[in-house]
Amino acid sequence: MVHVLSSRTLIHPADPERSRAFYGEQLGLAVYREFGEGPERGTVYFLGGGFLEVSGRSGTPAPPAVQLWLQVADVAAAHDELAAKGVEIVRPPVKEPWGLVEMWIADPDGWKIVIVEVPEDHPIRYRPGI
């Protein structure tokens, strides 16, 4: 087995400056590192246990099969904060049949992002007997 030391998701946006404004200012992700120069320079953001790299440029739309899953402590508070910053809420927070509270947003290129709250009694957090 390959010994993975770190991982990150890479996206190549149509407009890198617009995407950096979205992830850095609107979502408020902290910067891990930056590299290169000019409008297509790379910016790597912290994503909890992983990283998101925004670098380069793409002329094709975001693939619909790729989505980001971001867990937060309070999805209602995240909703209010993101809406106040002008982030388009694709779907407001809803408690799903599987017990998670999910809200959907999209980045400027259409990358789908689910913002998830895991309730305290959900099996992801607590599994009696294990």
Side-chain angles (χ1 to χ4, degrees), residues 71-121:
Q71 183 179 345
V72 298
D74 184 342
V75 76
H79 173 274
D80 294 345
E81 180 181 339
L82 294 174
K85 291 181 177 181
V87 172
E88 179 187 355
I89 308 299
V90 175
R91 196 191 78 186
V94 172
K95 186 164 187 177
E96 300 291 357
W98 46 90
L100 300 178
V101 182
E102 298 184 2
M103 170 180 70
W104 286 87
I105 63 174
D107 90 345
D109 288 317
W111 289 90
K112 293 178 182 168
I113 303 170
V114 60
I115 309 293
V116 178
E117 177 182 334
V118 180
E120 289 183 25
D121 62 346

Side-chain angles (χ1 to χ4, degrees), residues 15-57:
D15 182 339
E17 291 297 333
R18 180 182 67 181
S19 291
R20 274 192 282 281
F22 176 79
Y23 287 104
E25 297 167 23
Q26 290 184 291
L27 283 187
L29 298 181
V31 174
Y32 168 66
R33 69 181 288 253
E34 295 181 279
F35 56 91
E37 297 178 354
E40 295 179 26
R41 71 188 180 279
T43 305
V44 181
Y45 298 95
F46 285 101
L47 277 184
F51 300 97
L52 173 68
E53 178 179 321
V54 176
S55 62
R57 184 180 300 268

Side-chain angles (χ1 to χ4, degrees), residues 65-77:
V66 178
Q67 302 170 356
L68 294 177
W69 192 92
L70 305 177
Q71 183 179 345
V72 298
D74 184 342
V75 76

